[in-house]
């Protein structure tokens, strides 16, 4: 029998002492730990310590570490600002994508969670509903709309992961410069890339190109 998804289960098990905590408190504590110390630091014991309670008590509210991760991902999905649709679907979708990047920047652990535990809780469903409202009058079929949203999210997640992978960039740049000087890769040498210190934000244009291609 499949375990019941946390969103369909009561806030707390119906046995034992009256509830002293809420899922939202527990989730907020877990997010604070992940933001401060990284995802590996998120454990029932550490979350309980953050709340000043015993680790075992949390299992009355969350039955597993995986459920805690699901709660965390949905918690930060509440950070989207889902305003009224402007009537320009591409602008509205790019806005969602740009907000997603900022959320990932605030919560560097999020990319790993959404990659390994895909799905949506109540706040994530609100985001999806907003996207579908933006695309309500678009002639593309429902499958194409969902695919476009999924691809946009995947691009943002990949970019978030790439932004954090800074440790080897300097060495990689030196290696690429060495390869180019050897003269064996003329197409690589001919590339005209933005300088490393450029502040130009390419994501809006990238998202526009991708979304336009998928929802022609």
């Amino acid at each position: 029998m499949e375990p019941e998804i946390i969103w369909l289960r009561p806030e707390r098990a119906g046995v034992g002492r009256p509830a002293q905590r809420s899922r939202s408190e527990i989730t907020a504590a877990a997010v604070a730990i992940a933001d401060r110390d990284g995802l590996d630091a998120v454990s029932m014991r550490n979350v309980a310590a953050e709340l000043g309670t015993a680790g075992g008590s949390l299992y009355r509210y969350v039955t597993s570490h995986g459920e805690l991760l699901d709660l965390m991902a949905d918690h930060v999905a509440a950070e989207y600002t889902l305003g009224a649709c402007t009537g320009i679907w591409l602008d509205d979708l790019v806005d969602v994508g740009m907000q997603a990047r900022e959320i990932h920047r605030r919560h560097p652990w999020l990319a790993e969670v959404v990659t390994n535990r895909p799905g949506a809780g109540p706040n994530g469903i609100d985001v999806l509903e907003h996207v579908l409202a933006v695309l309500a009058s678009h002639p593309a079929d429902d499958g194409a709309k969902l695919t476009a949203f999924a691809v946009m999210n995947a691009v943002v997640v990949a970019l978030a992961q790439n932004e954090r992978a800074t440790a080897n960039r300097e060495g990689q740049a030196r290696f690429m410069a060495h390869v180019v000087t050897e003269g064996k890769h003329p197409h690589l040498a001919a590339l005209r890339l933005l300088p490393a210190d450029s502040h130009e934000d390419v994501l809006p244009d990238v998202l526009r190109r991708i979304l336009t291609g998928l929802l022609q």
Side-chain angles (χ1 to χ4, degrees), residues 51-116:
L51 293 168
T53 189
S57 67
L58 300 189
Y59 286 96
R60 293 191 293 161
Y61 309 88
V62 182
T63 63
S64 68
H65 183 257
E67 283 191 348
L68 184 58
L69 297 179
D70 293 340
L71 288 169
M72 291 167 63
D74 193 63
H75 179 87
V76 300
E79 296 178 13
Y80 285 92
T81 299
L82 305 175
C85 302
T86 67
I88 306 174
W89 68 267
L90 187 55
D91 287 351
D92 288 346
L93 286 193
V94 170
D95 176 69
V96 172
M98 299 302 289
Q99 288 192 60
R101 182 178 65 177
E102 293 308 310
I103 292 171
H104 278 276
R105 284 175 169 174
R106 289 193 292 271
H107 308 289
W109 48 269
L110 180 59
E112 181 177 344
V113 173
V114 298
T115 298
N116 294 324

Side-chain angles (χ1 to χ4, degrees), residues 133-210:
V134 165
L135 293 173
S137 62
H138 194 285
D141 62 48
D142 293 342
K145 293 175 181 179
L146 293 173
T147 296
F149 182 45
V151 170
M152 182 178 74
N153 284 332
V155 169
V156 172
V157 169
L159 178 63
Q161 292 173 320
N162 184 65
E163 285 186 344
R164 293 198 305 278
T166 59
N168 193 41
R169 284 183 182 174
E170 185 177 342
Q172 183 66 27
R174 289 198 303 270
F175 172 67
M176 291 291 287
H178 170 75
V179 167
V180 167
T181 59
E182 289 184 327
K184 298 178 181 178
H185 302 84
H187 296 289
L188 182 62
L191 284 178
R192 295 293 181 264
L193 302 177
L194 290 172
D197 60 352
S198 172
H199 297 293
E200 182 177 342
D201 191 354
V202 300
L203 182 58
D205 184 59
V206 168
L207 293 181
R208 287 179 178 278
R209 290 172 181 267
I210 291 171

Side-chain angles (χ1 to χ4, degrees), residues 26 29-30 33 36-37 39-59 62 64-65 68:
I26 293 166
I33 292 170
R36 183 181 66 232
D37 303 321
L39 192 61
D40 289 343
V42 176
S43 66
M44 292 297 201
R45 177 180 297 179
N46 287 345
V47 173
E50 187 88 0
L51 293 168
T53 189
S57 67
L58 300 189
Y59 286 96
V62 182
S64 68
H65 183 257
L68 184 58

